[in-house]
């Protein structure tokens, strides 16, 4: 049986403690509802809950009809209260599960011995068992960079206020985890717990107004303050502990394998302009400054605390000469640091040094705050830090000095934590990527070239002509343009690059990440961005062949999104990397080409099988091309939260990448409810960072000569499966009459657009009921809400059945692929999760919302038939008796939610019917159904967890 890093093995207690905790939370919530909302509301909640539990056990049409009548008779206010009750139950169940999994992992740690798959301990032991030497492991770790990128896609509906309330509940329940707790203490803990749940009940979980981009920026920053500033040092400590245990230490007690800085973070929030007109250059500027303010504030807090820890006296130990020289250099600002009457701590060198560090950090932070306030502030030359290297230099001096007189254990505590934070976050906190669609750049370049007389009709030129023209202009020192004669749109596009150039001086070179071009169809799309960067002095070629004079401060990442784009990866990259001008500029920027792959649009376009396989194949091609051109490559995975958008367990997803394509670095988006699920609590954040990093380390073993190879036979089979799967999916989405009407009417996708959950519009252009218009996120979100989950599995059943037919040898080959090939195993495992979240009975009730019922029932039957076929085929290939048999923890979690999801879906169907009927009459009065309807969308999203 395959192990999963997200499941705890060998649990001696089963899930009994989890069931007890969920029951306790449910009881406390029930007490609150009975007390605050009245016994009638409480009885209604319990009647629905118990009724749908019994219907799950055995269908009873009469009972179902009675429950539906009960729902139908409720007024909007009562429905809203019922929805909130179920929604908050999901939140509490999620917290209980998170706490349970954390406790189970802690239990394994206290028992000793090897830990769970995906832990640092398990991974390092595995490496030693494979005869990986300390030197080899050291080399491998130094190549590793694990880079989650936070994005603000509109599927995470939780407010920061709600997340903070949930964190307080999580912490309030912790004392119950003690082995022994007295009766009175337990009673008091439960009283405090009920108080915190009551606060959550009284908190509005739905935003009253649509968030602005600034709100989303602050939402993203919340996770650093709430968990990551604590989780990152703890993650490094776990890795160091595992290496000490397995590879030992030197005479000074240091691990034989040094722990390099291998975690980095990125963000799109405030930089993603594609389809979002509210992300202006001013917003990007503010996003960078707010990030800088947050990370500098954290460093300042930690330095303040260290002053009360490193109280060593020079009468008791001998600091290094390097430290004393450093203090001598600091004397030039001592009058500003130690004002009259303040103890200068001449005999406490570390405390004295920390006072200087605190002062310099304060000066840097104050400058950032003045800029945020609108001032044109200049960083003080002598008294402020100009970059993280200066701060790290001071911290290293302290560490080395402490180690020199036998205090390495003290240096290895809070000081090392601070060092690792600075190594990870710098002064920029995260790399802010900029993203824009290729059409915007093409339009800007065309206008600029027309205004300068270089080319009157750029749009009419073919690809070779465009590349020649752009290359020639990039080599010219005198090429410029008159901004005043350009349109507002083009001036805004140029302003983005000017902002990037200005921020380099403020935040440093790492503050701005890559410039991502969505809808990249040609090499000229990249060269256009390079030309725009050239106009902002971000890129410049030296005279003649003087390569050392070349400058390039912009890193460009083409994004390939659709199935067609993925087919064109080879031609675009060959043309781009073969261009001599681009090759020079790429070399000047570090000779690493980043390529982004879009999971969402490719899946919406051609279905899960075609998407997964074409992405897999594209990665192999990209690495072959970049290696042939002598260029390093980093792949950037545009994953969403749901399976239909590339989601799934991080460890398995990384391990399922093509052999040789993960070369020490991986970058991927973290979006939707995945952010809050992974990073709201310190304990879970440490776990998620650990299993992600170990997946990357193991997938990069090829760097030390231990990489594997794909089975050519498997590749051939997968190629055929992808063709069959795409044909089936397109048969439904592109060739079935009325499918788009079915989607818009049998799901709440149009109503989702009214939710105040994101600043970005849900459609690329004015909604017109076309598959190309709607974005991938609401496409997936809508199917999930109505329990179809179509994008995550449709076509897999047909593909498997068509390929093996009734041939037992072919079925056996598919079973071998499932056992032996991580990619295929991950694909079908994720498919099982999505099939488990679907419910064709509930989906049929959503289908009854459609206006053309004959057409709707035909489409529903097609979907239902494929669902049953896919379940049957996946079970046959996996050899399982039921879905998720390999992952009982997840299976139980989903089963636990069903009795609460079922009534919510039925409530939502009634609300959709009432809401649409009201608006069909053209009513202008206040709509009483929209508020409970939006809450139902929120609640179902919480119950299904990874809907977007």
């Amino acid at each position: 049986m395959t192990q999963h890093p997200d499941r705890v093995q060998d649990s001696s207690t089963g899930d009994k403690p989890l069931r007890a905790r969920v029951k306790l939370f449910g009881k406390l919530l029930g007490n609150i509802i009975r007390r605050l909302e009245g016994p009638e509301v409480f009885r209604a909640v319990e009647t629905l809950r118990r009724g749908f539990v019994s219907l799950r056990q055995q269908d009873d049409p009469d009972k179902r009809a009675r429950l539906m009548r009960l729902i139908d008779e409720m007024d909007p206010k009562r429905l809203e209260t019922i929805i909130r009750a179920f929604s908050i139950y999901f939140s509490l169940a999620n917290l209980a599960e998170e706490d349970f999994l954390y406790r189970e992992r802690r239990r394994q740690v206290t028992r000793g011995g090897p830990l769970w798959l995906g832990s640092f301990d398990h991974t390092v032991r595995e490496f030693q068992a494979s005869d990986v030497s300390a030197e080899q492991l050291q080399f491998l770790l130094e190549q590793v960079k694990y880079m989650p990128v936070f994005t603000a896609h509109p599927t995470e509906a939780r407010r920061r206020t709600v997340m903070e309330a949930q964190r307080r509940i999580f912490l309030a329940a912790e004392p119950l985890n003690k082995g022994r707790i007295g009766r009175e203490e337990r009673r008091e803990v439960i009283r405090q717990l009920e108080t915190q749940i009551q606060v959550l009940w009284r908190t509005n979980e739905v935003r009253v107004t649509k968030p602005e981009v600034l709100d989303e920026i602050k939402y993203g920053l919340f996770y650093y303050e709430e968990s990551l500033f604590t989780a990152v040092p703890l993650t490094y400590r776990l890795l160091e502990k595992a290496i000490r245990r397995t590879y030992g230490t030197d005479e000074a007690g240091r691990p034989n394998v040094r722990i390099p800085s291998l975690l980095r973070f990125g963000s799109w929030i405030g930089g993603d302009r594609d389809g979002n007109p509210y992300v202006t250059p001013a917003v990007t500027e503010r996003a960078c400054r707010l990030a800088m303010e947050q990370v500098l504030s954290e460093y300042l807090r930690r330095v303040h605390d260290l002053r009360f820890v490193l109280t060593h006296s020079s009468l008791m130990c001998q600091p290094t000469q390097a430290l004393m020289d450093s203090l001598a250099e600091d004397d030039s600002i001592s009058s500003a640091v130690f004002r009259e009457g303040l103890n200068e701590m001449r005999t406490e060198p570390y405390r004295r040094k920390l006072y200087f560090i605190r002062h310099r950090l304060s000066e840097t932070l104050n400058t950032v705050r003045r800029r945020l306030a609108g001032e044109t502030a200049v960083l003080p030359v002598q008294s402020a830090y100009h970059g993280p290297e200066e701060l790290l230099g001071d911290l290293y001096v302290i560490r080395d000095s402490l180690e020199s007189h036998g205090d390495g254990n003290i240096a290895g505590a809070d000081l090392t934590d601070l060092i690792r934070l600075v190594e990870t976050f710098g002064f920029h906190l995260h790399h802010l990527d900029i993203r824009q669609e290729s059409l915007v750049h093409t339009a800007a370049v065309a206008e600029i070239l027309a205004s300068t007389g270089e080319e009157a009709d750029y749009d009419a030129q073919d690809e070779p002509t465009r590349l020649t023209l752009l290359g020639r202009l990039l080599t010219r020192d005198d090429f410029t343009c008159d901004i005043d004669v350009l349109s507002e749109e083009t001036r805004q596009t140029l302003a983005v690059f000017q902002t990037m150039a200005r921020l380099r001086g403020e935040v440093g070179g790492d503050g701005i990440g890559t410039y991502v071009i969505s809808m990249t169809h040609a090499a000229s799309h990249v060269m256009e961005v390079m030309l725009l960067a050239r106009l902002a002095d971000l890129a410049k070629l030296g005279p003649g062949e003087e390569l050392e004079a070349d400058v390039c401060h912009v890193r460009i990442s083409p994004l390939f999104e659709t199935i067609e784009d993925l087919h064109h990866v080879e031609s675009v990259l060959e043309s781009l990397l073969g261009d001599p001008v681009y090759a020079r500029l790429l070399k000047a920027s570090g000779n690493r080409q980043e390529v982004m792959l879009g999971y969402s649009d490719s899946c919406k376009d051609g279905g899960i099988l075609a998407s997964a396989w074409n992405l897999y194949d594209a990665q192999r091609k990209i690495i072959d091309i970049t290696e042939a051109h002598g260029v390093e490559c980093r792949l950037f995975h545009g994953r969403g939260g749901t399976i239909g958008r590339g989601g799934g367990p991080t460890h398995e997803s990384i391990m399922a990448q093509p052999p040789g394509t993960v070369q020490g670095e991986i970058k991927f988006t973290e979006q939707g409810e995945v952010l809050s699920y992974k990073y709201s609590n310190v304990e879970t954040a440490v776990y998620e960072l650990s299993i992600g990093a170990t997946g990357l380390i193991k997938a990069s073993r090829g760097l030390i000569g231990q990489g594997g190879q794909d089975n050519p036979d498997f590749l051939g089979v997968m190629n055929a499966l992808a063709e069959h799967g795409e044909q089936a999916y397109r048969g439904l989405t592109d060739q079935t009459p009325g499918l788009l009407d079915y989607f818009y009417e049998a799901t709440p996708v149009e109503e989702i657009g009214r939710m105040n959950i994101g600043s970005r519009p849900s459609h690329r252009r004015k909604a017109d009921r076309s598959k190309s218009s709607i974005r991938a996120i609401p496409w997936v979100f809508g199917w999930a809400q109505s329990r179809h989950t179509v994008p995550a599995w449709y076509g897999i059943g047909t593909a498997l059945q068509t390929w093996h037919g009734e041939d037992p040898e072919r079925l056996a080959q598919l079973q071998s692929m499932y056992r032996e090939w991580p990619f295929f195993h991950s694909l079908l495992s994720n498919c099982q999760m999505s099939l488990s979240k679907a419910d064709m009975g509930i989906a049929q009730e959503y289908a009854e919302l459609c206006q053309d019922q004959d057409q709707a029932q035909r489409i529903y039957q097609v979907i239902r038939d494929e669902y049953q076929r896919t379940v049957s085929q996946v079970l046959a290939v996996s050899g399982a008796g039921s879905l998720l048999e390999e992952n009982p923890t997840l299976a139980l979690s989903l089963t636990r939610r069903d009795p609460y999801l079922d009534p919510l879906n039925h409530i939502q169907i009634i609300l959709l019917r009432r809401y649409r009927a009201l608006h069909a009459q053209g009513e202008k009065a206040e709509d009483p159904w929209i508020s409970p309807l939006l809450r139902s969308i929120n609640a179902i999203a919480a119950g299904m967890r990874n809907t977007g």
Side-chain angles (χ1 to χ4, degrees):
M1 183 181 289
T2 302
Q3 289 184 319
H4 295 262
D6 59 342
R7 188 178 78 238
V8 177
Q9 289 92 39
D10 302 324
S11 171
S12 59
T13 59
D15 74 336
K16 185 177 178 181
L18 171 58
R19 285 186 280 115
R21 183 62 54 83
V22 171
K23 185 176 180 181
L24 172 63
F25 282 174
K27 179 183 177 183
L28 296 179
L29 177 61
N31 292 345
I32 292 164
I33 293 170
R34 186 191 293 110
R35 189 174 73 250
L36 299 182
E37 308 299 335
E40 191 176 338
V41 172
F42 175 74
R43 282 195 298 272
V45 171
E46 282 297 286
T47 299
L48 289 172
R49 183 184 68 83
R50 290 175 178 171
F52 281 101
V53 167
S54 68
L55 288 176
R56 276 278 164 179
Q57 295 165 347
Q58 183 175 352
D59 194 28
D60 181 339
D62 291 338
K63 178 176 284 188
R64 187 178 296 277
R66 286 198 301 273
L67 292 172
M68 294 304 290
R69 278 198 304 273
L70 175 62
I71 295 171
D72 203 42
E73 291 166 359
M74 293 181 186
D75 61 30
K77 188 174 186 303
R78 174 65 55 83
L79 281 171
E80 196 157 3
T81 305
I82 299 292
I83 291 166
R84 292 197 69 234
F86 289 135
S87 179
I88 290 177
Y89 169 82
F90 286 136
S91 298
L92 297 175
N94 291 344
L95 290 174
E97 288 178 357
E98 197 171 341
D99 177 68
F100 172 72
L101 292 172
Y102 171 67
R103 280 186 285 155
E104 287 298 290
R105 291 193 293 269
R106 293 307 307 163
R107 189 174 288 116
Q108 284 196 34
V109 171
T110 56
R111 284 203 303 261
L115 302 182
W116 55 92
L117 177 69
S119 66
F120 285 122
D121 178 81
H122 187 283
T123 301
V124 173
R125 289 176 190 265
E126 183 181 310
F127 271 73
Q128 188 189 50
S130 300
D131 296 324
V132 174
S133 67
E135 293 74 21
Q136 286 177 305
L137 182 57
Q138 183 73 70
F139 173 81
L140 177 57
L141 291 179
E142 287 172 355
Q143 315 308 310
V144 169
K145 286 291 181 293
Y146 180 74
M147 290 173 277
V149 178
F150 294 178
T151 70
H153 284 280
T155 56
E156 170 53 67
R158 287 200 293 174
R159 299 174 58 214
R160 172 172 172 170
T161 306
V162 171
M163 290 193 293
E164 289 170 340
Q166 290 171 350
R167 175 63 178 170
R168 290 194 297 271
I169 293 169
F170 185 90
L171 294 175
E174 273 193 349
L176 297 175
N177 299 334
K178 294 178 182 177
R180 294 180 179 178
I181 180 171
R183 183 179 301 174
E184 284 302 316
E185 184 182 358
R186 178 180 174 81
R187 187 176 291 127
E188 177 59 23
V189 168
I190 290 174
R191 189 185 68 79
Q192 291 291 337
L193 188 55
E194 183 168 344
T195 298
Q196 293 302 329
I197 294 174
Q198 183 172 330
V199 169
L200 181 61
W201 178 257
R202 291 296 202 188
T203 302
N204 191 355
E205 71 275 19
V206 175
R207 293 186 178 94
V208 177
T209 58
K210 195 173 184 68
E212 297 180 354
V213 181
L214 183 59
D215 299 317
E216 294 176 332
I217 291 168
K218 291 178 179 178
Y219 177 88
L221 294 176
F222 164 79
Y223 294 105
Y224 295 97
E225 178 185 349
E226 190 69 9
S227 70
L228 288 170
F229 285 146
T230 303
V232 165
L234 286 174
T235 302
Y236 282 116
R237 287 189 176 282
L238 289 177
L239 175 56
E240 181 174 334
K241 181 179 179 181
I243 287 176
R244 285 177 180 274
R245 179 183 295 162
T246 306
Y247 281 89
T249 59
D250 61 16
E251 292 180 357
R254 293 183 292 258
N256 284 325
V257 177
R258 185 183 61 83
I259 312 301
S261 180
L262 49 82
L263 299 176
R264 294 292 183 272
F265 293 84
S267 177
W268 277 16
I269 311 175
D272 184 6
R273 297 171 58 79
D274 180 16
N276 193 339
Y278 307 111
V279 181
T280 63
V283 165
T284 299
E285 191 173 72
R286 190 161 187 83
C288 283
R289 289 171 176 169
L290 285 170
M292 196 174 182
E293 179 189 35
Q294 179 141 11
V295 75
L296 290 174
S297 297
E298 177 66 16
Y299 297 160
L300 196 60
R301 183 187 69 77
R302 287 177 177 258
V303 168
H304 174 85
D305 292 346
L306 273 172
R307 293 177 308 143
F308 304 104
V309 175
L310 302 183
T311 55
H312 298 58
S313 169
S314 55
L315 303 177
M316 307 296 174
C317 59
Q318 180 58 56
T320 61
Q321 188 59 46
L323 178 71
M324 303 312 294
D325 291 343
S326 176
L327 284 169
E329 292 176 10
D330 290 333
D331 277 341
S332 62
I333 60 169
S334 61
S335 60
V337 177
F338 300 103
R339 293 183 176 83
E340 187 176 352
L342 189 65
N343 182 359
E344 295 193 17
M345 302 174 190
R346 293 287 182 181
T347 62
E348 295 177 316
Y350 299 117
R351 294 188 73 190
R352 181 173 172 81
K353 182 65 183 175
L354 287 166
Y355 268 89
F356 285 120
I357 291 173
R358 187 182 71 160
H359 180 78
R360 293 185 191 278
L361 275 173
S362 296
E363 289 287 283
T364 305
L365 177 58
N366 288 338
T367 303
V368 173
R369 285 176 171 162
R370 287 170 59 198
R371 288 168 176 165
L372 281 168
E375 296 182 40
T376 308
V378 178
L379 201 63
V381 176
Q382 286 190 320
S383 60
Y385 284 120
H386 290 251
E389 299 79 14
E390 296 176 5
L391 172 59
L392 281 171
D394 281 345
L395 296 176
Y396 290 156
V397 163
I398 295 175
R399 179 196 63 192
D400 295 345
S401 182
L402 286 168
E403 290 178 348
S404 73
H405 49 66
D407 285 322
N409 56 332
I410 297 175
D414 294 343
L415 175 63
T416 292
D417 286 348
L418 175 56
I419 288 172
R420 285 174 172 159
L421 283 177
V422 181
E423 290 173 339
T424 299
F425 297 114
F427 279 6
H428 57 280
L429 183 65
H430 49 220
H431 311 283
L432 182 66
D433 287 348
I434 310 295
R435 183 170 77 135
Q436 183 57 282
E437 190 176 352
S438 60
L439 287 174
V440 174
H441 310 125
T442 301
V445 167
E447 185 179 355
I448 289 167
L449 296 186
S451 72
T452 58
E454 294 290 342
E455 175 53 62
D457 194 0
Y458 176 78
D459 289 333
Q461 306 307 310
D462 60 17
E463 178 66 5
T465 304
R466 288 187 181 192
L467 284 174
T468 300
L469 174 59
L470 294 167
R472 177 170 56 80
L473 293 174
L474 280 165
T475 61
R476 278 177 45 187
D477 278 344
D478 61 341
F479 179 66
T480 185
C481 67
D482 183 358
I483 293 178
D484 293 334
V485 303
L486 301 174
S487 66
E488 177 60 26
E489 291 78 6
T490 298
R491 288 203 300 271
Q492 277 285 307
T493 300
L494 286 171
V496 173
F497 292 90
Q498 292 158 356
T499 300
M500 290 166 60
R502 187 167 58 254
L503 288 171
R504 276 186 56 81
E506 286 189 26
V507 189
D510 290 329
I512 298 294
T514 51
Y515 194 106
V516 179
I517 309 171
S518 53
M519 295 299 172
T520 300
H521 306 310
S524 60
H525 288 160
V526 179
M527 292 290 277
E528 287 163 0
V529 171
M530 193 64 83
L531 183 65
L532 295 171
R534 161 71 183 81
L535 291 171
D537 293 325
L538 285 167
K540 185 177 182 181
L541 289 175
E545 299 299 318
E546 296 180 23
L547 301 184
E548 65 276 2
D550 294 345
V551 173
C552 186
H553 295 310
V554 61
R555 298 179 291 275
I556 304 172
S557 180
L559 168 53
F560 299 96
E561 299 175 83
T562 66
I563 298 294
E564 185 179 358
D565 288 340
L566 294 172
H567 288 162
H568 295 158
V569 161
E570 282 181 290
S571 60
V572 172
L573 280 185
E574 285 285 6
S575 179
L576 182 65
L577 298 179
D579 187 281
V581 174
Y582 184 77
R584 280 182 63 176
L585 289 168
L586 182 65
K587 194 167 187 177
S589 71
N591 207 39
R592 173 182 285 120
Q593 179 64 57
E594 181 176 290
V595 179
M596 184 171 182
L597 300 170
Y599 288 65
S600 304
D601 281 285
S602 60
C603 185
K604 187 194 82 169
D605 179 31
I608 187 69
L609 262 179
S611 171
W613 176 240
N614 279 284
L615 285 162
Y616 191 92
D617 194 43
Q619 290 177 67
R620 297 164 62 231
K621 292 174 180 175
I622 290 166
I623 295 301
D624 288 345
I625 292 168
T626 52
E627 286 182 349
H629 285 272
V631 171
E632 294 179 19
C633 180
R634 176 169 66 209
L635 293 169
F636 182 6
H637 301 266
R639 305 170 69 230
T642 184
I643 304 305
R645 297 188 51 243
T650 304
H651 185 92
E652 284 188 340
S653 297
I654 297 174
M655 293 294 292
Q657 302 306 308
T661 62
V662 183
Q663 302 179 335
E665 296 194 6
I666 196 165
K667 183 177 174 184
F668 56 92
T669 54
E670 297 271 49
Q671 52 192 248
E673 68 295 316
V674 171
L675 278 179
S676 55
Y677 172 63
K678 287 187 174 182
Y679 304 116
S680 287
N681 289 313
V682 172
E683 301 79 5
T684 307
V686 171
Y687 171 71
E688 292 292 340
L689 291 173
S690 299
I691 62 170
T694 57
L696 174 59
I697 294 166
K698 289 194 282 188
S700 302
R701 292 174 73 148
L703 295 173
I704 55 173
Q706 291 200 359
Q709 288 188 333
D710 280 329
N711 183 325
D713 293 338
F714 292 175
L715 300 180
V717 174
M718 194 60 218
N719 204 48
L721 290 174
E723 288 182 10
H724 296 317
E726 182 173 4
Q727 186 176 6
Y729 179 82
R730 290 192 185 278
L732 174 71
T733 61
D734 299 350
Q735 296 158 20
T736 299
L739 186 280
L740 267 296
D741 289 331
Y742 181 93
F743 171 66
Y744 276 90
E745 294 169 19
T747 78
V749 65
E750 290 190 303
E751 291 75 17
I752 288 168
R754 294 197 57 173
M755 293 189 73
N756 296 316
I757 56 176
S759 66
R760 190 186 191 205
S762 63
H763 285 68
R764 295 185 183 276
R765 51 186 174 273
K766 190 173 178 62
D768 60 1
R769 287 204 175 185
S770 70
K771 185 177 157 191
S772 59
S773 171
I774 190 168
R775 293 186 181 277
I777 297 167
W779 173 257
V780 171
F781 202 15
W783 286 118
Q785 284 277 313
S786 60
R787 304 297 289 277
H788 290 73
T789 67
V790 162
W793 56 264
Y794 197 94
I796 290 180
T798 292
L800 294 172
Q801 186 179 67
T802 302
W803 189 82
H804 75 73
E806 300 300 324
D807 187 341
E809 290 187 5
R810 284 198 160 200
L811 178 59
Q813 184 166 6
L814 291 172
Q815 291 169 338
S816 295
M817 289 169 62
Y818 183 77
R819 288 192 304 270
E820 300 168 20
W821 192 13
F823 165 75
F824 194 62
H825 189 280
S826 176
L827 177 68
L828 294 195
S829 293
N830 289 338
C831 174
Q832 289 185 56
M833 180 171 72
S834 299
L835 290 168
S836 297
K837 291 186 175 184
D839 187 304
M840 288 299 109
I842 293 175
Q844 185 173 23
E845 295 184 40
Y846 277 92
E848 291 172 1
L849 293 168
C850 296
Q851 294 180 25
D852 186 337
Q853 272 302 295
D854 290 340
Q855 177 178 268
Q857 290 306 317
R858 283 197 300 272
I859 292 171
Y860 165 75
Q861 196 58 50
V862 170
I863 294 172
R864 180 184 177 88
D865 289 347
E866 180 63 13
Y867 174 84
Q868 293 173 336
R869 185 180 301 113
T870 303
V871 171
S872 173
Q873 292 298 317
V874 167
L875 291 179
V877 171
S878 66
S882 61
L883 295 174
L884 295 177
E885 185 179 279
E886 292 181 356
N887 195 344
T889 302
L890 179 57
L892 284 169
S893 175
L894 296 179
T895 302
R896 193 178 294 115
R897 286 167 163 72
D898 284 335
Y900 297 84
L901 274 171
D902 291 353
L904 281 172
N905 282 120
H906 288 100
I907 289 171
Q908 186 179 86
I909 290 166
I910 288 174
L911 290 169
L912 284 168
R913 188 171 284 120
R914 292 177 180 175
Y915 169 80
R916 290 172 181 178
L918 183 67
H919 285 264
Q921 298 167 9
E923 294 285 345
K924 301 297 182 184
E926 185 176 344
D927 184 349
W929 306 114
I930 186 63
S931 180
L933 176 55
L934 297 184
R935 286 190 193 278
S936 75
I937 294 171
N938 229 7
I940 292 170
M944 296 185 74
R945 294 204 81 156
N946 63 346
T947 55

